Amino acid sequence: MPIARLIEYKIALPSEHAFDLLMNIGNAGYFMPITRPGVIPAPKVSGKYSEKIRKVEDISRELGRILNQYSIPPPTALHEVKISLFNELLEYIIEDGEDLLTRVRQYLDTIEGIRGEYVRLRSIVDVASSVGGVIMERLKHFSMDIIPLSEEDFNEFSNAIANHGAEALPVRAQDRFYALVIYPEWARQGLLSAYKLFNTNPLEVPSNFDLNTMKSRLAELEGRLERLEQEFRDFLTKVSDRAYAIINLSDMITNIVRQYMDSAIPEGKDVGDRLVQLINSVNETRNRIRELEIIHEVLGYMKKAGISFEGLSRLRVRVFAIKGGVNEDFIKGLMYIKRDIEGTDLSILTLIESPENLDVKSLGKEVYEIGRDYLVDIKSAFELTGRELTDLRSRLKDLEREYEEFVKEFNEVSTYGVDGISKVGGDVVTIAGYVKESLSSKFDDLLASLLSKLAIDARVRKESKVVYVKEIEPEKAPTLEEYPKLIDAFKKITYMYGVPKYTEISPIILTFILFPAFYGWMYPDLGHGIVLSLFGYALYRSRYKGPNAFLRSIFSGKYSTWGLIFLMAGIWSIVFTFIESGTIFGIEIKGLNPRFKLASISQPGFVVFNSIYAMLAVSIMVGIVSLLLSFALKAVNAYRGGERDLAIGFYVPLFFFFAFLVLALMGAGFVPVIRIGEETPLLQSLYPLFNAIESLMWYWVYAVFATLAILVYSLLYFRAKYRGVPGFSAAQLAVEVGAEAGIPSLTNTISFMRLSIVAIMHAVFTAMTYAWAVSLGLFTLAGLAVLIIFNLIIIIGEGFVAFVQSLRLHFYEMYTKFFSGAGVLFTPFTLGLRWVRLLIV
């Protein structure tokens, strides 16, 4: 079977070692964890790891920022890391990462110190060069500051410092703006406060200012900064393998933690608490319903009997509904009124001025006090309790359903199950998932090796457990399909529609056969087929690594799978050249006379009508066969999916209903196969078949009504059998009769005519291109230009049209009849390592 058989594993172990398990299975790359059901609470991350994981993330983030800032490329060789346990990996990253960051921070601190001094001197030199160094040197009794400032703030800034006896000159230097502030020494403290208002710091001009000296100092700093930055960049390049390894390993840890949070199933206390919470909610709701039912019945009796408590409004009155009889001995000595409701074991007990410390439970077997709010308006209270009862009963059903769903979901993914909650500690988790059956022995070895390594921990020996589930639930199982490479390429097209369910017959083989065949049918030309095949082969085989970004993006290997699809499409285009066109780039090939030639420049007019009629008839016949196959696959998929009665009792009759309906319509001439065929000598060999269909037309009509009667009976039968069953819809079945078996006889089958219609367009366009080129002189520059340019346009335009139309025939005409596309793709958990070779020893 192309869909591989899977085995489900449930692996329970202490939560801190679940990370070791995920690291090992992620490194192996053939285990797909099951996502934890939403009703089950998320597990907790062991406190042993949480702080270390945070440190690892911080180290990775800082290293990544620095490598990106200095554009350090990743290493070409993989960095090898050997570890044994997840905790060792965390410690390795922290130790190596902190060592790297220590060196990096030393470089950065030195660079930042030099850069700060360089920027300060650069600003002073730029300003001095703009205003003149002589002016600045002659200011003996004043001080000057250079203030980096926004030009929009200059006027406001000038007004602010004027209050301190200072003047500001605007200076623009090297696309930056400054204010040159000149002020007496006594005003310095006040100016510093003004600077803070504009969130800027002054660049103080030294008293012994010398522009030439400062320029020399600036050149020296610039050289030092360049050398140090180059040295730092060289250092980063040298340690890039370690740095990228740390980043990659940090991402891996994030993946492991995310997978743990998504898939780990907590066992023990956490689940027990959730179960207790659900059970308590159910019991509380049941008790409240019981109470309200009795109070509601009592209120109904009061309403019917006209009982009122208005006369006792000035007294302290308490009213109780008691089921099972009143405790007569207990109420002796109390002031009360007792009414027994006839035909029931209910009593209404009214206590007047009852003691403060009254033991209510001693009044009877079941005692419920009726609130004073209910007694004010008994009729309204009766209606209110009735509505509340309806809401509570609905709420109880939801809670019971939630409890049942929780137990069901938990038992499906848990190792110990609900009954085993008390057998494990509070931090045991289960990782459940699927492994391909052929790899199960390797996975068993991996588990045995890991658990042996972890067995030094007594809790691992006590609480670890592995459960194998060979008969997995088909509806929830993921799909893993394996084919030879050429067939496997057509997953690309099939999975655009959807992934087949585990129990479905996958349409990939059908797609592999029909998609390129339909493409070639609509695109028949030897030259175009060769171009398409060569392009597909180049796409599949080439690995261009040159300087051209466009070629590198196409031929990098990313689209190699599509190369196989184009290769197959091109081969079928060549095949249909010998059936429909007989041309190479629109030029007729002498001696090649295809049976169904669609266009020819050697005959009057381009279109050959007999061939067109024949190909349209063949297109419709191919459509009928394709749709019959789709209906047959629908029945098979239903049978394989466990719906055997529906498959045999409904979908098989549906197949024959469609077949007989099409034959009846063909006999009557509504489906134009016979009418076209009788006009087409090319289909003369099929005339006996057409005549037989036409002569049996009334028999086909009788068969249509017979199968329709069977379908109606089946519809009624299944409606009765599955009434109230979730997911079943009689209306949906009725639609399948009309919208999938009746209408397609007039629409889906005729839709297959596009196979020949697009082919006719292609044949006409290529013939016109060739005729135009001949009229200009085939071997002249103009003729060759027309031939080459318009054939390129046809290759791109019609190649795209043929692709889309072939896709449509599969997706809308066939897949919708039998393929749900609702499966889940088998996706093993991997660590996502790009720059690291991780060796777990």
Side-chain angles (χ1 to χ4, degrees):
M1 287 295 295
I3 295 184
R5 182 175 173 80
L6 304 174
I7 293 179
E8 182 181 344
Y9 284 79
K10 297 178 182 178
I11 309 155
L13 69 174
S15 60
E16 66 178 84
H17 295 303
F19 294 96
D20 293 302
L21 174 65
L22 288 170
M23 182 176 70
N24 278 266
I25 63 179
N27 198 44
Y30 42 75
F31 179 88
M32 176 183 174
I34 296 174
T35 301
R36 184 184 66 257
V39 297
I40 300 175
K44 297 175 182 176
V45 177
S46 171
K48 176 181 178 180
Y49 296 143
S50 54
E51 182 61 26
K52 292 180 180 178
I53 290 172
R54 187 191 62 78
K55 282 185 179 179
V56 165
E57 290 174 347
D58 290 343
I59 290 170
S60 172
R61 192 180 302 111
E62 188 171 354
L63 280 176
R65 178 182 57 80
I66 293 167
L67 292 174
N68 184 61
Q69 178 182 345
Y70 283 86
S71 302
I72 305 299
T76 55
L78 295 178
H79 185 78
E80 189 173 287
V81 175
K82 289 184 180 180
I83 50 96
S84 179
L85 299 173
F86 183 76
N87 190 51
E88 292 179 13
L89 179 62
L90 291 175
E91 291 176 351
Y92 166 81
I93 296 173
I94 291 171
E95 181 181 350
D96 198 38
E98 288 183 342
D99 178 63
L100 270 179
L101 284 178
T102 299
R103 296 287 307 279
V104 165
R105 287 166 184 159
Q106 289 173 351
Y107 271 108
L108 288 177
D109 289 345
T110 305
I111 288 171
E112 288 304 313
I114 296 174
R115 181 178 286 117
E117 178 65 14
Y118 173 79
V119 169
R120 188 184 73 83
L121 283 179
R122 173 86 270 172
S123 299
I124 294 173
V125 169
D126 287 345
V127 171
S129 299
S130 299
V131 302
V134 176
I135 294 175
M136 299 182 70
E137 291 173 1
R138 291 180 179 178
L139 296 173
K140 301 297 184 182
H141 303 291
F142 292 86
S143 293
M144 283 186 297
D145 288 337
I146 298 173
I147 309 296
L149 193 68
S150 169
E151 188 172 0
E152 292 78 12
D153 294 335
F154 178 76
N155 290 334
E156 187 178 350
F157 178 78
S158 298
N159 294 332
I161 65 172
N163 296 326
H164 300 280
E167 293 288 340
L169 298 176
V171 180
R172 181 181 297 280
Q174 301 293 331
D175 296 328
R176 290 186 293 271
F177 188 83
Y178 302 91
L180 181 63
V181 180
I182 305 172
Y183 60 93
E185 286 291 343
W186 56 264
R188 179 157 184 77
Q189 290 302 318
L191 282 175
L192 292 176
S193 300
Y195 296 159
K196 289 179 181 179
L197 293 176
F198 292 87
N199 195 28
T200 186
N201 293 314
L203 304 175
E204 186 176 355
V205 179
S207 56
N208 56 344
F209 177 83
D210 181 76
L211 184 57
N212 293 328
T213 302
M214 296 191 75
K215 284 184 177 180
S216 300
R217 173 64 176 162
L218 187 64
E220 178 188 345
L221 286 175
E222 186 173 10
R224 284 182 59 193
L225 186 61
E226 288 180 358
R227 288 191 299 273
L228 191 58
E229 284 192 328
Q230 185 58 50
E231 183 183 337
F232 181 49
R233 191 172 282 105
D234 292 341
F235 168 76
L236 289 177
T237 302
K238 181 180 178 181
V239 299
S240 64
D241 59 334
R242 291 170 58 194
Y244 275 101
I246 289 170
I247 294 170
N248 206 179
L249 291 171
S250 174
D251 293 340
M252 181 196 85
I253 287 170
T254 300
N255 289 338
I256 290 174
V257 173
R258 186 183 297 115
Q259 188 63 62
Y260 173 82
M261 297 303 296
D262 288 344
S263 62
I265 312 298
E267 308 267 7
K269 184 177 181 301
D270 289 343
V271 175
D273 291 344
R274 177 60 177 157
L275 275 175
V276 169
Q277 182 185 3
L278 287 171
I279 292 170
N280 289 341
S281 297
V282 169
N283 291 335
E284 288 171 5
T285 306
R286 284 175 179 165
N287 293 336
R288 178 58 180 161
I289 289 173
R290 174 73 173 173
E291 177 183 355
L292 270 181
E293 285 175 342
I294 293 173
I295 291 175
H296 182 69
E297 188 174 352
V298 168
L299 289 172
Y301 172 79
M302 290 180 179
K303 173 189 170 187
K304 184 177 180 181
I307 297 174
S308 173
F309 294 91
E310 293 180 359
L312 301 175
S313 59
R314 296 187 179 183
L315 300 175
R316 186 161 52 85
V317 175
R318 299 178 70 182
V319 181
F320 299 91
I322 301 177
K323 187 175 179 61
V326 177
N327 187 347
E328 300 288 349
D329 294 333
F330 184 78
I331 63 175
K332 287 180 179 179
L334 299 177
M335 190 182 306
Y336 66 88
I337 301 171
K338 184 170 80 72
R339 297 180 179 87
D340 295 325
I341 301 177
E342 295 180 3
T344 70
D345 60 349
L346 286 174
S347 300
I348 304 172
L349 181 65
T350 305
L351 296 183
I352 303 170
E353 299 294 336
S354 62
E356 293 288 344
N357 58 348
L358 177 69
D359 184 6
V360 173
K361 292 182 179 179
S362 299
L363 293 174
K365 187 175 181 181
E366 280 188 70
V367 182
Y368 303 103
E369 185 170 3
I370 302 175
R372 295 186 66 87
D373 293 342
Y374 288 164
L375 301 176
V376 174
D377 187 342
I378 291 175
K379 179 181 178 183
S380 298
F382 175 75
E383 294 173 354
L384 178 64
T385 52
R387 290 193 297 270
E388 190 175 351
L389 270 174
T390 301
D391 293 341
L392 281 173
R393 285 169 182 151
S394 176
R395 168 66 177 158
L396 179 62
K397 287 182 180 179
D398 291 341
L399 286 172
E400 289 175 338
R401 191 182 303 114
E402 184 179 354
Y403 173 78
E404 292 170 0
E405 181 184 358
F406 182 88
V407 172
K408 177 178 177 292
E409 295 280 4
F410 182 73
N411 284 336
E412 285 180 357
V413 295
S414 167
T415 303
Y416 289 93
V418 170
D419 297 333
I421 288 175
S422 59
K423 298 178 183 178
V424 295
D427 62 344
V428 172
V429 299
T430 286
I431 303 292
Y434 303 102
V435 174
K436 183 182 169 186
E437 187 178 44
S438 60
L439 294 173
S440 60
S441 59
K442 287 186 178 181
F443 191 70
D444 290 340
D445 293 341
L446 183 149
L447 287 179
S449 173
L450 174 63
L451 293 176
S452 298
K453 187 193 308 181
L454 299 177
I456 191 172
D457 185 342
R459 291 186 61 243
V460 173
R461 296 194 300 273
K462 178 182 177 183
E463 297 177 326
S464 294
K465 183 178 179 182
V466 179
V467 175
Y468 305 87
V469 185
K470 289 194 175 182
E471 295 299 325
I472 61 180
E473 189 174 346
E475 283 298 314
K476 293 188 176 181
T479 300
L480 172 62
E481 298 185 86
E482 297 179 323
Y483 301 93
K485 188 174 290 186
L486 189 60
I487 300 175
D488 196 71
F490 286 83
K491 282 182 184 178
K492 283 279 188 184
I493 292 173
T494 306
Y495 287 1
M496 287 166 65
Y497 185 91
V499 177
K501 288 184 177 180
Y502 187 70
T503 55
E504 277 188 308
I505 291 180
S506 175
I508 287 179
I509 296 292
L510 188 67
T511 308
F512 165 72
I513 296 171
L514 293 184
F515 184 87
F518 286 171
Y519 189 98
W521 190 332
M522 291 182 282
Y523 193 55
D525 187 282
L526 180 62
H528 294 180
I530 291 172
V531 169
L532 192 61
S533 298
L534 291 175
F535 173 74
Y537 185 77
L539 204 60
Y540 170 63
R541 297 288 295 178
S542 297
R543 297 295 181 270
Y544 178 78
K545 297 180 180 180
N548 190 296
F550 177 74
L551 292 177
R552 194 166 58 247
S553 65
I554 295 177
F555 296 104
S556 62
K558 182 179 179 181
Y559 303 106
S560 61
T561 303
W562 284 106
L564 290 174
I565 295 173
F566 290 132
L567 175 62
M568 287 290 294
I571 290 171
W572 277 98
S573 293
I574 294 171
V575 170
F576 274 91
T577 301
F578 298 90
I579 299 172
E580 293 181 299
S581 69
T583 61
I584 178 169
F585 298 116
I587 305 171
E588 293 184 9
I589 304 173
K590 290 183 179 181
L592 183 59
N593 296 309
R595 180 175 175 81
F596 299 97
K597 190 173 182 64
L598 297 176
S600 175
I601 61 169
S602 62
Q603 299 181 25
F606 287 143
V607 180
V608 182
F609 289 99
N610 282 338
S611 295
I612 290 176
Y613 293 146
M615 289 307 294
L616 290 175
V618 173
S619 299
I620 293 174
M621 286 188 283
V622 168
I624 292 170
V625 172
S626 299
L627 292 173
L628 282 171
L629 178 61
S630 298
F631 281 108
L633 290 175
K634 186 179 188 72
V636 173
N637 280 337
Y639 188 88
R640 286 166 55 88
E643 298 176 326
R644 298 184 177 182
D645 50 355
L646 278 172
I648 297 171
F650 193 83
Y651 293 134
V652 170
L654 190 65
F655 169 86
F656 287 105
F657 174 72
F658 173 73
F660 295 144
L661 183 61
V662 169
L663 289 170
L665 291 172
M666 285 171 59
F670 288 105
V671 176
V673 171
I674 292 177
R675 189 168 295 172
I676 290 174
E678 290 175 347
E679 298 175 2
T680 310
L682 292 172
L683 297 180
Q684 189 170 3
S685 59
L686 296 176
Y687 285 0
L689 174 62
F690 296 153
N691 292 333
I693 292 173
E694 190 170 17
S695 65
L696 295 175
M697 184 189 74
W698 289 110
Y699 290 97
W700 304 135
V701 173
Y702 298 148
V704 168
F705 283 109
T707 52
L708 184 59
I710 294 172
L711 287 169
V712 171
Y713 171 78
S714 299
L715 187 66
L716 297 174
Y717 168 77
F718 290 123
R719 181 182 178 185
K721 180 178 180 180
Y722 293 102
R723 185 184 300 275
V725 176
F728 178 80
S729 171
Q732 181 179 344
L733 289 179
V735 168
E736 288 180 6
V737 176
E740 291 192 9
I743 296 176
S745 63
L746 301 176
T747 57
N748 296 127
T749 52
I750 295 175
S751 183
F752 278 82
M753 293 174 69
R754 71 186 67 234
L755 290 170
S756 295
I757 292 171
V758 176
I760 294 166
M761 291 170 50
H762 175 80
V764 170
F765 287 156
T766 52
M768 289 174 62
T769 299
Y770 176 64
W772 187 10
V774 169
S775 69
L776 296 173
L778 183 60
F779 297 105
T780 64
L781 184 61
L784 289 174
V786 166
L787 195 65
I788 293 171
I789 293 172
F790 281 88
N791 269 283
L792 284 175
I793 293 173
I794 291 171
I795 288 173
I796 295 171
E798 288 198 50
F800 175 75
V801 170
F803 185 92
V804 170
Q805 295 305 326
S806 185
L807 209 61
R808 174 189 170 83
L809 290 174
H810 283 75
F811 284 6
Y812 297 104
E813 317 303 342
M814 292 190 294
Y815 284 1
T816 53
K817 304 297 180 294
F818 70 94
F819 181 36
S820 68
V824 177
L825 187 63
F826 180 82
T827 310
F829 172 60
T830 58
L831 299 179
L833 295 174
R834 291 182 292 169
W835 305 305
V836 176
R837 180 186 293 110
L838 184 66
L839 301 178
I840 302 176
V841 295

XYZ file of all heavy atoms in Angstrom, residues 225-269:
370
model
N 39.853 52.848 15.345
C 38.493 52.301 15.295
C 38.361 51.315 14.141
O 37.786 50.219 14.310
C 37.490 53.444 15.144
C 36.011 53.059 15.224
C 35.671 52.436 16.576
C 35.118 54.294 14.985
N 38.904 51.670 12.980
C 38.836 50.765 11.834
C 39.579 49.468 12.097
O 39.090 48.372 11.781
C 39.397 51.460 10.590
C 38.492 52.559 10.041
C 39.093 53.219 8.823
O 40.232 52.835 8.450
O 38.455 54.123 8.250
N 40.777 49.585 12.698
C 41.566 48.383 12.976
C 40.864 47.489 14.000
O 40.843 46.266 13.854
C 42.965 48.779 13.476
C 43.870 49.349 12.397
C 45.300 49.456 12.891
N 45.443 50.333 14.051
C 45.621 51.653 13.974
N 45.705 52.241 12.776
N 45.733 52.383 15.071
N 40.305 48.141 15.020
C 39.644 47.361 16.069
C 38.375 46.696 15.541
O 38.097 45.531 15.869
C 39.321 48.269 17.257
C 38.858 47.546 18.539
C 39.914 46.545 19.006
C 38.571 48.557 19.650
N 37.600 47.406 14.733
C 36.396 46.812 14.164
C 36.741 45.667 13.219
O 36.038 44.649 13.191
C 35.568 47.875 13.439
C 34.812 48.789 14.387
C 33.786 49.645 13.666
O 34.042 49.993 12.499
O 32.750 49.954 14.270
N 37.815 45.821 12.443
C 38.240 44.738 11.562
C 38.709 43.540 12.378
O 38.410 42.384 12.049
C 39.359 45.226 10.630
C 39.777 44.192 9.590
C 38.624 43.756 8.712
O 37.899 44.594 8.167
N 38.432 42.455 8.573
N 39.439 43.850 13.460
C 39.892 42.770 14.343
C 38.689 42.050 14.961
O 38.677 40.810 15.066
C 40.794 43.356 15.439
C 41.371 42.303 16.377
C 42.210 42.936 17.486
O 42.697 44.075 17.293
O 42.367 42.285 18.540
N 37.683 42.823 15.363
C 36.473 42.225 15.946
C 35.716 41.405 14.905
O 35.226 40.305 15.190
C 35.586 43.342 16.503
C 34.322 42.848 17.152
C 34.357 41.824 18.093
C 33.105 43.396 16.812
C 33.187 41.366 18.692
C 31.935 42.944 17.399
C 31.980 41.927 18.344
N 35.643 41.941 13.687
C 34.956 41.208 12.618
C 35.697 39.902 12.308
O 35.060 38.860 12.088
C 34.847 42.093 11.376
C 33.928 41.538 10.302
C 33.696 42.526 9.182
N 32.717 43.550 9.555
C 33.013 44.794 9.871
N 34.277 45.199 9.855
N 32.081 45.651 10.205
N 37.020 39.960 12.306
C 37.804 38.739 12.084
C 37.577 37.737 13.209
O 37.490 36.518 12.976
C 39.303 39.063 11.983
C 39.638 39.864 10.730
O 38.819 39.863 9.784
O 40.698 40.514 10.712
N 37.480 38.261 14.430
C 37.224 37.374 15.569
C 35.852 36.697 15.433
O 35.724 35.486 15.656
C 37.285 38.181 16.872
C 36.768 37.432 18.071
C 37.538 36.443 18.663
C 35.506 37.706 18.584
C 37.058 35.739 19.760
C 35.023 37.021 19.681
C 35.803 36.028 20.275
N 34.843 37.481 15.044
C 33.499 36.918 14.871
C 33.487 35.864 13.767
O 32.822 34.827 13.892
C 32.499 38.027 14.549
C 32.145 38.997 15.687
C 31.188 40.071 15.178
C 31.529 38.256 16.863
N 34.217 36.132 12.684
C 34.294 35.155 11.599
C 34.968 33.873 12.083
O 34.548 32.762 11.739
C 35.065 35.734 10.405
O 34.415 36.945 9.969
C 35.114 34.751 9.255
N 36.010 34.036 12.896
C 36.743 32.884 13.406
C 35.871 32.011 14.305
O 35.971 30.775 14.265
C 37.977 33.380 14.175
C 38.847 32.270 14.729
C 40.043 32.853 15.471
C 40.896 31.734 16.072
N 42.048 32.294 16.825
N 35.041 32.652 15.112
C 34.201 31.883 16.063
C 32.763 31.745 15.549
O 31.876 31.379 16.321
C 34.195 32.553 17.453
C 35.592 32.611 18.029
C 33.566 33.954 17.388
N 32.539 32.042 14.254
C 31.162 32.003 13.739
C 30.541 30.620 13.857
O 29.334 30.487 14.056
C 31.139 32.468 12.276
O 31.873 31.583 11.444
N 31.377 29.558 13.728
C 30.810 28.211 13.856
C 30.260 27.986 15.256
O 29.178 27.416 15.435
C 31.858 27.156 13.505
C 33.090 27.235 14.396
O 33.385 28.329 14.920
O 33.749 26.194 14.582
N 30.979 28.468 16.267
C 30.492 28.335 17.654
C 29.263 29.209 17.886
O 28.283 28.774 18.501
C 31.596 28.719 18.633
C 32.754 27.756 18.683
C 33.907 28.339 19.498
N 33.498 28.676 20.864
C 34.217 29.441 21.687
N 35.369 29.969 21.253
N 33.795 29.678 22.907
N 29.317 30.440 17.371
C 28.199 31.365 17.591
C 26.925 30.877 16.917
O 25.842 30.849 17.523
C 28.575 32.755 17.082
N 27.050 30.477 15.643
C 25.866 29.984 14.943
C 25.384 28.662 15.533
O 24.184 28.360 15.509
C 26.153 29.841 13.453
C 25.953 31.118 12.681
C 27.020 31.912 12.303
C 24.664 31.536 12.343
C 26.831 33.094 11.609
C 24.469 32.716 11.643
C 25.546 33.497 11.275
O 25.335 34.675 10.585
N 26.310 27.856 16.057
C 25.903 26.616 16.715
C 25.065 26.917 17.949
O 24.043 26.258 18.205
C 27.140 25.793 17.089
N 25.469 27.927 18.708
C 24.705 28.300 19.899
C 23.324 28.804 19.514
O 22.309 28.443 20.135
C 25.488 29.365 20.697
C 26.706 28.729 21.354
C 24.597 30.032 21.749
C 27.662 29.708 21.961
N 23.264 29.635 18.474
C 21.960 30.143 18.016
C 21.082 28.994 17.536
O 19.893 28.911 17.867
C 22.170 31.180 16.903
C 22.874 32.424 17.451
C 20.839 31.560 16.260
C 23.331 33.394 16.382
N 21.678 28.090 16.748
C 20.926 26.953 16.213
C 20.446 26.031 17.338
O 19.297 25.565 17.351
C 21.818 26.186 15.243
C 21.012 25.426 14.200
O 21.570 24.776 13.331
N 19.697 25.479 14.252
N 21.307 25.772 18.306
C 20.936 24.918 19.441
C 19.876 25.584 20.308
O 18.995 24.917 20.851
C 22.172 24.583 20.275
C 23.191 23.648 19.604
C 24.464 23.563 20.433
C 22.595 22.256 19.412
N 19.961 26.898 20.420
C 18.924 27.621 21.164
C 17.576 27.502 20.474
O 16.535 27.283 21.120
C 19.309 29.092 21.310
O 18.260 29.824 21.913
N 17.584 27.641 19.136
C 16.331 27.440 18.384
C 15.816 26.018 18.565
O 14.601 25.792 18.666
C 16.572 27.724 16.900
C 16.872 29.182 16.621
O 16.533 30.022 17.470
O 17.447 29.479 15.555
N 16.740 25.076 18.597
C 16.353 23.682 18.802
C 15.677 23.502 20.157
O 14.661 22.811 20.288
C 17.596 22.792 18.708
C 17.327 21.311 18.878
S 18.833 20.369 19.230
C 18.919 20.577 21.008
N 16.230 24.129 21.179
C 15.637 24.029 22.520
C 14.251 24.664 22.536
O 13.316 24.132 23.145
C 16.572 24.696 23.549
C 17.788 23.800 23.772
C 15.854 24.955 24.867
C 18.887 24.419 24.565
N 14.106 25.784 21.829
C 12.783 26.403 21.721
C 11.801 25.454 21.054
O 10.648 25.329 21.491
C 12.884 27.709 20.913
O 13.787 28.607 21.576
C 11.517 28.377 20.787
N 12.250 24.754 19.990
C 11.393 23.777 19.323
C 11.005 22.645 20.264
O 9.859 22.186 20.270
C 12.100 23.196 18.093
C 12.225 24.197 16.966
O 11.475 25.172 16.905
N 13.171 23.975 16.077
N 11.966 22.179 21.057
C 11.690 21.090 21.994
C 10.686 21.533 23.049
O 9.725 20.813 23.358
C 13.003 20.606 22.647
C 13.867 19.882 21.613
C 12.719 19.698 23.836
C 15.239 19.487 22.118
N 10.891 22.725 23.597
C 9.973 23.232 24.619
C 8.578 23.441 24.029
O 7.558 23.092 24.642
C 10.501 24.545 25.230
C 9.468 25.161 26.169
C 11.805 24.298 25.977
N 8.531 23.991 22.810
C 7.228 24.203 22.162
C 6.532 22.863 21.915
O 5.330 22.724 22.151
C 7.423 24.961 20.854
C 6.113 25.345 20.184
C 6.340 26.028 18.853
N 7.055 27.273 19.007
C 8.273 27.513 18.523
N 8.901 26.564 17.835
N 8.856 28.671 18.708
N 7.305 21.874 21.448
C 6.714 20.551 21.210
C 6.249 19.919 22.519
O 5.199 19.264 22.572
C 7.731 19.646 20.520
C 7.170 18.321 20.045
C 6.110 18.487 18.991
O 6.352 19.001 17.915
N 4.892 18.046 19.296
N 7.017 20.126 23.568
C 6.627 19.622 24.893
C 5.303 20.245 25.330
O 4.390 19.544 25.780
C 7.736 19.935 25.895
C 7.392 19.619 27.335
C 7.507 18.323 27.827
C 6.963 20.620 28.199
C 7.203 18.035 29.150
C 6.649 20.339 29.519
C 6.773 19.049 29.983
O 6.457 18.774 31.299
N 5.182 21.557 25.175
C 3.949 22.229 25.588
C 2.765 21.841 24.714
O 1.616 21.843 25.154
C 4.144 23.748 25.542
C 5.205 24.267 26.497
S 4.900 23.819 28.224
C 3.375 24.705 28.532
N 3.043 21.482 23.450
C 1.961 21.117 22.526
C 1.525 19.667 22.667
O 0.366 19.347 22.385
C 2.404 21.356 21.073
C 2.474 22.835 20.728
O 1.914 23.642 21.485
O 3.098 23.171 19.708
N 2.441 18.790 23.060
C 2.122 17.365 22.968
C 2.181 16.601 24.284
O 1.562 15.538 24.391
C 3.061 16.694 21.955
O 4.404 16.806 22.382
N 2.934 17.066 25.276
C 3.076 16.301 26.519
C 1.739 16.217 27.257
O 1.039 17.218 27.419
C 4.143 16.938 27.404
N 1.403 15.017 27.710
C 0.157 14.769 28.434
C 0.496 14.607 29.909
O 1.162 13.636 30.289
C -0.543 13.489 27.927
C -0.608 13.465 26.403
C -1.913 13.336 28.564
C -1.402 14.581 25.794
N 0.075 15.523 30.766
C 0.374 15.368 32.199
C -0.389 14.189 32.789
O -1.563 13.986 32.487
C -0.077 16.701 32.800
C -1.075 17.246 31.846
C -0.692 16.742 30.489
N 0.293 13.410 33.583
C -0.336 12.304 34.302
C -0.377 12.673 35.794
O 0.283 13.601 36.232
C 0.469 11.018 34.104
C 0.768 10.660 32.662
C -0.265 9.717 32.064
O -1.280 9.445 32.721
O -0.040 9.256 30.932
N -1.137 11.939 36.562
C -1.096 12.125 38.005
C -1.923 13.296 38.493
O -3.060 13.518 38.076
N -1.347 14.091 39.412
C -2.091 15.070 40.199
C -2.811 16.117 39.353
O -3.975 16.444 39.619
C -1.143 15.761 41.179
C -1.829 16.733 42.126
C -0.840 17.317 43.113
C -1.538 18.267 44.069
N -2.218 19.388 43.402
